[in-house]
Amino acid sequence: MTVLEATSLTKRFGGILALSDVSLRIDESELVAVIGPNGAGKTTLFDCLLGTTRPDSGSVLLDGRDITNLPVHRRARLGMARTFQRVELFSELTVRQNLIVAARARRQHRGLVRDLIAPTAERPEEQARVNSLLSLLGLDEDADRQAQVLSLGRARLVELARALATDPSVVLADEPSSGLDDADRHTLVQALTSVRAGGTSVLLVEHDLDLVRAVADRVYVLSAGLVLTEGHPATTLDSAAVEAAYRAGVDR
């Protein structure tokens, strides 16, 4: 079953064609990567899928529902989660509290502002879910540390855990390996593999092609707003189209 699908997305910014008739799909329990040089259109594609940017034409479907015109928070309620290229955590909350707030926001338990001001004790089901995510991302020792004292690499893992705490059908991960050391990168690979095996789909924008090769089921290659090719990473990443796109280094 297809979880997330984009059809013929086109977006212009003034005279710049950022996306040109871009289509992609992510099926259930699938990890799909989007790669390409700087300026290829990856961020614009992400923003159109998330709802932070409205495409000029084309459509976005989530679990078969047209969400093209829905705001970001409605997409989140329907099962779309994301991580950010620049980490955005609740810095004064602990790692555990960050995850609890995310889980409650999806379920509309209490209110987000109330949970930020005065976090309450975890319910048993919340504790079980959070403990599972802390273990999955190797964050057990960081659980009671404030987010603001974490290294960039550890903060990225927390952000992925927080996205998963919302129990999404699909996670859009924007360069999650950026800033990770070898140990945290290994944890990320294991976590992404486990997430996919657990039934959550992942759309990954990533510059680390070795990581893409290790975790992706399929890869889309963007360049100058166009999909150049799509396929299995074993063949796609070594294709002439990918080599040409990265040599050109399109930058706009």
Side-chain angles (χ1 to χ4, degrees):
M1 183 182 76
T2 298
V3 174
L4 181 64
E5 183 175 16
T7 303
S8 301
L9 292 181
T10 296
K11 181 64 183 178
R12 289 183 179 274
F13 295 101
I16 297 175
L17 183 61
L19 293 178
S20 179
D21 199 33
V22 171
S23 298
L24 60 75
R25 77 172 201 283
I26 303 98
D27 293 334
E28 187 176 4
S29 302
E30 187 178 34
L31 195 153
V32 173
V34 177
I35 67 169
N38 292 335
K42 302 185 299 297
T43 297
T44 302
L45 173 61
F46 234 51
D47 289 344
C48 287
L49 295 173
L50 289 161
T52 55
T53 295
R54 186 70 55 84
D56 297 326
S57 60
S59 63
V60 180
L61 274 64
L62 179 63
D63 293 323
R65 174 174 178 170
D66 190 337
I67 62 169
T68 309
N69 297 315
L70 291 184
V72 176
H73 72 276
R74 290 283 305 280
R75 300 181 195 216
R77 296 285 187 202
L78 291 172
M80 182 181 289
R82 71 162 298 176
T83 68
F84 297 85
Q85 195 171 40
R86 294 181 61 184
V87 176
E88 296 186 18
L89 297 174
F90 300 119
S91 61
E92 294 186 359
L93 296 186
T94 67
V95 170
R96 182 182 298 276
Q97 288 168 339
N98 266 273
L99 271 56
I100 290 293
V101 167
R104 290 176 178 174
R106 172 73 191 275
R107 292 166 178 77
Q108 295 182 306
H109 173 70
R110 288 171 48 96
L112 176 60
V113 174
R114 289 177 63 191
D115 274 318
L116 290 174
I117 295 173
T120 58
E122 305 161 31
R123 295 179 295 172
E125 63 271 24
E126 291 175 336
Q127 187 176 55
R129 175 64 173 159
V130 167
N131 287 343
S132 174
L133 290 171
L134 291 171
S135 178
L136 176 67
L137 275 301
L139 294 166
D140 299 275
E141 295 183 0
D142 296 310
D144 297 316
R145 301 178 69 197
Q146 284 186 316
Q148 63 189 357
V149 304
L150 299 176
S151 67
L152 174 60
R154 304 303 285 172
R156 287 200 181 280
L157 295 176
V158 174
E159 193 168 54
L160 178 58
R162 188 177 66 177
L164 294 171
T166 66
D167 196 23
S169 56
V170 60
V171 175
L172 278 62
D174 194 356
E175 297 189 31
S177 74
S178 178
L180 268 60
D181 60 23
D182 289 342
D184 286 343
R185 183 182 178 280
H186 179 69
T187 298
L188 175 65
V189 169
Q190 290 184 315
L192 290 172
T193 302
S194 296
V195 166
R196 178 185 56 192
T200 302
S201 303
V202 180
L203 179 63
L204 178 73
V205 167
E206 184 57 65
H207 283 293
D208 185 339
L209 299 188
D210 288 334
L211 185 146
V212 170
R213 199 184 303 272
V215 302
D217 297 303
R218 289 186 297 115
V219 179
Y220 286 86
V221 183
L222 288 186
S223 182
L226 297 166
V227 175
L228 295 185
T229 187
E230 174 263 331
H232 191 276
T235 53
T236 304
L237 294 179
D238 295 325
S239 68
V242 172
E243 293 181 8
Y246 278 91
R247 277 201 307 271
V250 178
D251 196 3
R252 28 179 194 174

